[in-house]
Amino acid sequence: MNNKIFFPQVNGILHGSDYNPDQWLDRPDILEKDIELMKKAKMTSMSLGIFSWSAYEPTEGEFHMDWLKDIMDKLYENGIYTILATPSGARPAWLDEKYPECMRVGADDHRAHHGVRHNHCMSSPKFREKTGIIINKIIDTVGKHPGLAMWHLSNEFGGECFCPLCKKKFQDYLANKFDNDINKLNKAWWTGFWSHTYNDFSQIEPPYLNGEFSVMGLNLEWKRFTTWNTTDYMKSEIDIIRKRTPNIPITTNFMQLFPGLDYRVMAKELDVISWDSYPVFHNNYETMADTMAHNSFDHAVMRSLKKNQPFMLMECAPGLVNWHEYNKLKRPGVHKLFSTQAVACGSDTVQYFQWRKSRGSFEQYHGAVVDHIGTDDTRVFKEVAEVGAMLDSLSNVKGTIVKPKAALIFDWDNMWAIDNMRGLSDKTKNYAKTCIQIYHEFLKLGIDMNVVASDDNLDDYNVVIAPMLYMLRPGASDNLKAFVKRGGQLLATYLTGYVDDNALCYLGGFPGDGLSELFGVISEEIDTYYDSDENSATFTDGHKAIIHDYAEILRVSDTDILAKYDKDFYAGTPAITCKNFGKGKAYYVGARIDMDSMSGLFKTMLKETNTTYLTLPAGIEYHKREDESGKTIEFYLNVTENEITFNMTDNTQVTLKPYGVKIV
C-alpha cells in the first residue's frame, strides 16, 4: 500500500550506518566516543552484526552474545535503532575447517579455500544448519529488544557454486521444470546441434569452464537456477525470522544491475527493498550529470521492485571507497547532492558503509563517517552531519512514493540471453547501457520512469519503452499488445522478439510471438557496424538521425514509415515506423540512432498521451514524490559545477549553486 512507514520510531528520513563494535570491544573509550559522535551526526540507526559470526561464535558451540545486547542497549538509550544482520555473509575459519562442503566450488571444478566472503554453497545442508543455529541464538538474545527495527539478511548475495550438491540440485530443478521429460528439454534447448542430446537428466552438468557452454538454453537456465537456489537459501533464513519475530520487517542489500541474480524473483520474499550505491564520481569518461543519471536509474530499478512503497539506500560511501579503479574523493557538496537524489527517487533512508574506519584488513581505507583521526571536525563528518540535519527535517517526505507515468522494460534474463548470444558484436551490444541512456533522456525532460519486467502490469503508464527486448517471456507479447490496445504508446527497438524464454529463435520473422502484427514490421536481417561505418536515417520532416552499431532491414506492412535509411544497399528502406493499434501506437526503431533523435520520438509520445514533461536547463535533475492525497514534494538537483538559474514548475525563479539542491 502507499505511505508505508518502515521506521515509525524515527521522525524524519532514517540516517544510519554499518557499525562494527565487535572490532573495538577492547576499546571501551572508542565505543563510548562513538555514541557521542553518532548523536552529533544525527544518526538514527546502526546496522549491526553483518560480519560478526566469529565474534558471536569463536569456536563451534561457544557463544558470546552479551556484547550485542550491551551495544543495542546503549544505542537505544540514545535514540538510535538497530538494523540487525544475520552473519551468513562470511564464515568463521573453524566452520570451513570442519565442514568443507560449505565452501563453494568454482566453474573450474575446484573447491575454494577459506577466505574472503560471499563464497558459501547455498545448497549445503550443513551451512543451512549452522546459520539456523546462529540466527536462533541471536533471536534468543535480542529478538524482543525494543531497539530492533529491521532484519538485514546476510550481505550482498551473489555468486554461483558448481559443487556436486548444486549439480544434483540443478538436475532436479530441470527435471521438475520439464515435467521429468528429457525429450522436452532436448527440444527446448535444440540439443541435437553438435550432437549434444541428453538421454537422462543425470547427464546434465552446469556450464563448467571446460564443459558444456554452447547450449544457450542451458546457460540461461543455469542463471535462473542460481537465482532460484539463492532465493531458496534466503527463505531458509526468512522462515526462522518470520516465525520468531513476525512483526519485524526483513530486507537484504542488492547491488545495482548485478548480473548474477534476478532481483525481481528475490524481491517477492522481502518486506522492503534496499541496495548499496557506490557511483564512480569525478571520473574521466563521463559528465557528472551522466554519473548521477546512472545512479538515478539504479534507484528506479530498486524502487520498481516494490513500486508502491519507499525503498532503502542501505549503503553508500560518505567519502571515497577503496575498491574502484581510481578511488577519488567526493568533492565538497556532492554527498548532500547524492543523498538528496536518493530521497528524491523514493528512498526513506540514507545509510553508510561504514561508521568508523577499520584499522586493518581489506577495507581499512574505505571511506567512513569517522576517519582514523577519530574526531568530528573532518570535512566528511561535517557533511554527514549536515545531511543528518536535512533528513531530520523531512518527516513530510517519509512514506511518500514516486508515481511515474512512463516505464522502461528491463528483464534480467533478457540481459543474460543477449550477453550469451553468439551474434552482433560483443563490444557493442550494451543492453544495460542502452537502457540507462534512454532513461537519462526522460530524466532530462523531468520524467521519472519505473523500470519494469516485460510481463509486469502496465496499467499505470502512458508511455513504455522496450529497448532490445531480444527474449520474450511467456505472456510478454500479449501484455504489450494489451497496453497499446487500451491507448498506451510503446516504442521498441532493433533486436526485439528474436527468441523465446528457452533462447530458441522464432520462426516466421522477427519480432516473433505475434509482435510483428503489433508493429507491422518484420526484420529480415540485422547489420553490425564498425566504428568507422557511417549511415543515417532521414525523417519525413528532413531531420537526420545518426546511426551507429546496428541497423535492421525491415519489411513493412500496415504501418507508417517515419524515417528511411540514407546509405548502403538498403538505402531508401524503412528504418523507423509507427503503427496505430487499438487506441494506442506502436513505434519500431530498427537502428541504434543518436539519443537526440530518440528524444524527439519520446516527446511526441508524451505529448500524444497528455503526459507533462518539463523544459529544464542542462544540468538540472528533477524528481517528484507524492502522498496518498496527491500532495507533492519536488526535488531540484544541480548536478554540475556551475551555478544555474531557472524557473521551477510554479514559475518561481531559483538559483542553485554548484551541486546545490532545492526541496519544495
Side-chain angles (χ1 to χ4, degrees), residues 1-5 308-310 396-403 625-633:
M1 66 177 184
N2 294 354
N3 285 40
K4 191 165 187 177
I5 306 294
N308 292 322
Q309 64 185 49
N396 63 317
V397 176
K398 186 166 66 172
T400 62
I401 61 174
V402 182
K403 297 180 179 180
R625 292 178 66 162
E626 300 180 37
D627 66 14
E628 289 179 315
S629 70
K631 183 179 178 181
T632 63
I633 303 96

Side-chain angles (χ1 to χ4, degrees), residues 154-360:
S154 194
N155 184 70
E156 296 182 338
F157 283 111
E160 52 194 356
C161 180
F162 294 76
C163 76
L165 289 170
C166 289
K167 174 181 170 181
K168 179 60 167 63
K169 204 168 184 180
F170 181 48
Q171 292 166 347
D172 292 343
Y173 162 91
L174 293 173
N176 181 66
K177 177 161 185 172
F178 290 98
D179 303 320
N180 289 295
D181 185 347
I182 194 64
N183 291 323
K184 189 174 182 179
L185 178 144
N186 283 320
K187 184 176 181 180
W189 288 3
W190 211 254
T191 55
F193 188 79
W194 284 354
S195 194
H196 288 183
T197 302
Y198 298 105
N199 304 111
D200 191 83
F201 286 97
S202 63
Q203 295 174 343
I204 301 173
E205 294 184 322
Y208 292 109
L209 288 177
N210 61 346
E212 178 63 274
F213 54 81
S214 64
V215 176
M216 304 299 108
L218 169 66
N219 297 338
L220 189 55
E221 213 57 66
W222 174 252
K223 292 283 192 181
R224 291 176 178 143
F225 164 77
T226 298
T227 293
W228 176 86
N229 199 27
T230 302
T231 305
D232 186 63
Y233 169 77
M234 187 178 75
K235 287 164 66 176
S236 72
E237 293 195 3
I238 290 173
D239 288 346
I240 297 170
I241 292 168
R242 286 231 168 97
K243 181 178 179 180
R244 298 201 57 194
T245 58
N247 298 319
I248 305 297
I250 299 171
T251 190
T252 191
N253 50 336
F254 291 152
M255 302 172 286
Q256 295 181 284
L257 291 183
F258 180 66
L261 296 169
D262 185 342
Y263 284 154
R264 289 197 179 96
V265 175
M266 300 176 70
K268 295 173 184 177
E269 309 300 328
L270 303 170
D271 296 311
V272 59
I273 302 302
S274 66
W275 80 287
D276 301 345
S277 175
Y278 295 101
V280 184
F281 286 119
H282 318 298
N283 59 66
N284 65 351
Y285 52 83
E286 65 183 0
T287 67
M288 183 68 168
D290 290 330
T291 303
M292 290 292 288
H294 187 164
N295 199 59
S296 174
F297 172 84
D298 292 332
H299 285 314
V301 170
M302 298 302 157
R303 174 182 71 227
S304 304
L305 295 175
K306 290 187 183 292
K307 64 182 181 180
N308 292 322
Q309 64 185 49
F311 67 94
M312 297 172 63
L313 175 59
M314 181 61 77
E315 287 185 22
C316 69
L320 47 68
V321 301
N322 76 320
W323 47 267
H324 286 164
E325 187 176 4
Y326 297 89
N327 295 299
K328 199 170 183 69
L329 293 174
K330 267 185 181 175
R331 268 36 194 172
V334 171
H335 179 57
K336 183 177 181 181
L337 174 72
F338 164 87
S339 301
T340 306
Q341 185 195 53
V343 176
C345 289
S347 177
D348 268 5
T349 71
V350 175
Q351 297 161 269
Y352 311 117
F353 181 84
Q354 51 190 330
W355 169 252
R356 179 183 286 275
K357 281 187 178 179
S358 302
R359 288 196 67 192

Side-chain angles (χ1 to χ4, degrees), residues 10-138:
V10 176
N11 181 54
I13 299 294
L14 196 77
H15 194 212
S17 182
D18 278 21
Y19 184 36
N20 302 294
D22 46 303
Q23 297 175 15
W24 303 95
L25 293 178
D26 61 341
R27 291 294 304 271
D29 58 319
I30 285 179
L31 297 179
E32 183 177 353
K33 183 70 172 178
D34 279 337
I35 298 292
E36 176 189 331
L37 294 175
M38 288 173 191
K39 294 173 73 173
K40 286 186 176 181
K42 293 192 175 294
M43 308 301 286
T44 49
S45 77
M46 286 287 143
S47 297
L48 295 179
I50 294 174
F51 297 116
S52 298
W53 197 333
S54 61
Y56 291 142
E57 191 179 9
T59 61
E60 186 175 18
E62 177 191 342
F63 298 101
H64 297 261
M65 298 286 181
D66 289 345
W67 67 267
L68 174 63
K69 184 177 184 302
D70 290 344
I71 294 295
M72 288 180 65
D73 286 345
K74 289 184 173 66
L75 292 173
Y76 182 66
E77 290 164 6
N78 286 275
I80 301 169
Y81 292 86
T82 294
I83 298 174
L84 187 56
T86 61
S88 53
R91 303 176 309 280
W94 62 260
L95 192 151
D96 286 347
E97 180 183 40
K98 187 170 182 180
Y99 307 107
E101 71 170 65
C102 297
M103 296 183 286
R104 278 186 190 161
V105 171
D108 60 357
D109 205 18
H110 286 89
R111 192 174 294 277
H113 290 273
H114 171 75
V116 294
R117 55 179 181 159
H118 308 316
N119 56 0
H120 35 277
C121 172
M122 298 294 183
S123 301
S124 166
K126 184 56 68 173
F127 182 66
R128 295 188 183 206
E129 174 193 332
K130 289 300 177 182
T131 54
I133 290 171
I134 196 67
I135 291 168
N136 274 299
K137 287 291 184 181
I138 293 169

Side-chain angles (χ1 to χ4, degrees), residues 528-601:
T528 298
Y529 287 14
Y530 286 94
D531 291 343
S532 57
D533 289 333
E534 295 181 357
N535 205 343
S536 58
T538 301
F539 284 84
T540 53
D541 65 0
H543 170 76
K544 286 188 180 293
I546 305 303
I547 295 173
H548 58 283
D549 297 337
Y550 302 110
E552 287 181 329
I553 301 173
L554 302 178
R555 181 194 305 178
V556 302
S557 53
D558 53 340
T559 184
D560 295 327
I561 299 171
L562 303 185
K564 296 180 179 180
Y565 292 111
D566 292 329
K567 296 181 180 180
D568 221 312
F569 71 93
Y570 41 90
T573 65
I576 301 170
T577 64
C578 179
K579 179 180 175 180
N580 293 308
F581 188 87
K583 297 179 180 178
K585 290 184 177 181
Y587 290 79
Y588 194 87
V589 181
R592 184 173 285 176
I593 63 175
D594 65 277
M595 281 297 153
D596 284 344
S597 297
M598 287 288 278
S599 184
L601 293 171

Side-chain angles (χ1 to χ4, degrees), residues 433-445:
K433 181 179 178 180
T434 300
C435 291
I436 293 165
Q437 288 174 332
I438 289 172
Y439 175 91
H440 194 183
E441 292 305 312
F442 277 84
L443 195 60
K444 291 175 183 177
L445 301 173

